[in-house]
Amino acid sequence: LHTMAQPPAPKRRRVSGPDEADTSQPGGAKPHTLITRKADDILKATRDLHRNLDVYGDVLICACSSDGSEVELTAAVSALVAASSRPLAAMLYGPMRMCTPRTGEEEGRPRLVLHTIQPSHLRHLLDFIHGQDLPLEVEEAFEMHHVADFYEVLALRDACMRCLLDALQAHNCCHLLERAQDVHCEPLVQRCVDMLTLDFIAVVEHDDSFHRL
């Protein structure tokens, strides 16, 4: 008997290997899921670093007091400091490198001495970089705004600015305006000028510093 020719068997779909692109996706890209570390987990890790700086700190940062004597503060994680401040990064790793070998019992751990900052301000700066909260009064916020701006720790500078903006009232407008000009906090200067423009009578009646404006 004459048998009819059978149609060819359908081609089996080739299973792509692990290194081959998935052509079913646009552009042949492999499907993937983006996994991101949560911000609070990163903050917890930096705070763990702060609690264990005696172990993990690889640099000692000191401030030179007004009488010229060195005041040793605390150990710090140099990579974290460098990632937070461009000027300090240059002093730790770049062309402005100022670290010197540590002698005595801490031999081998480099030491960075800063001559443009008070010890208490540097302590606040390092605490912030290592994830600590800073309880600052208004005058301290002005001082830390200036320090953070100088060392380009921009997150701290902006946090101090927000603190000062929140503190602005009719009774302290002229004082905050004067201090804002001292530390070059332009957003606060503008907010004070706005208050003087829009709420002038309240400032005159309640701000004892108005006569110095």
Side-chain angles (χ1 to χ4, degrees):
L1 298 173
H2 177 69
T3 58
M4 297 180 61
Q6 297 295 321
K11 292 184 178 179
R12 298 179 61 185
R13 183 177 179 182
R14 183 167 177 247
V15 179
S16 60
D19 297 327
E20 297 183 41
D22 183 356
T23 56
S24 65
Q25 300 295 320
K30 295 180 182 179
H32 63 272
T33 300
L34 183 64
I35 298 176
T36 304
R37 189 176 184 183
K38 294 183 178 179
D40 56 350
D41 186 49
I42 298 174
L43 179 59
K44 178 179 180 298
T46 58
R47 289 178 172 175
D48 288 342
L49 280 177
H50 184 270
R51 284 192 293 268
N52 296 280
L53 283 175
D54 290 341
V55 177
Y56 300 125
D58 59 342
V59 65
L60 296 173
I61 301 182
C62 308
C64 194
S65 60
S66 57
D67 60 2
S69 61
E70 291 181 9
V71 179
E72 184 171 311
L73 295 178
T74 184
V77 179
S78 61
L80 188 58
V81 173
S84 304
S85 166
R86 188 173 63 93
L88 291 177
M91 296 177 192
L92 289 166
Y93 295 104
M96 297 172 59
R97 183 175 174 85
M98 299 169 60
C99 285
T100 56
R102 176 74 170 175
T103 58
E105 62 180 6
E106 297 290 346
E107 186 175 1
R109 191 188 301 203
R111 180 174 57 181
L112 176 64
V113 180
L114 302 177
H115 299 272
T116 57
I117 186 172
Q118 295 181 20
S120 59
H121 295 165
L122 181 55
R123 187 176 297 110
H124 283 325
L125 189 72
L126 293 178
D127 284 349
F128 182 84
I129 288 174
H130 290 86
Q132 301 302 295
D133 296 328
L134 299 182
L136 298 179
E137 297 178 353
V138 170
E139 287 304 315
E140 291 177 313
F142 275 117
E143 294 167 358
M144 291 311 303
H145 180 282
H146 179 67
V147 170
D149 188 50
F150 182 82
Y151 286 102
E152 297 183 24
V153 183
L154 303 183
L156 177 56
R157 181 201 63 185
D158 292 346
C160 291
M161 178 190 66
R162 290 191 295 271
C163 172
L164 293 168
L165 289 171
D166 290 341
L168 177 61
Q169 301 289 336
H171 71 273
N172 62 12
C173 177
C174 295
H175 173 69
L176 295 192
L177 174 59
E178 182 180 7
R179 295 290 285 120
Q181 291 171 331
D182 290 341
V183 301
H184 307 290
C185 183
E186 295 303 325
L188 181 58
V189 170
Q190 186 58 55
R191 186 70 64 84
C192 291
V193 171
D194 291 343
M195 177 169 284
L196 282 165
T197 304
L198 301 174
D199 208 4
F200 180 76
I201 300 301
V203 175
V204 172
E205 292 178 347
H206 298 96
D207 193 337
D208 294 336
S209 301
F210 177 75
H211 67 281
R212 298 203 312 266
L213 184 64

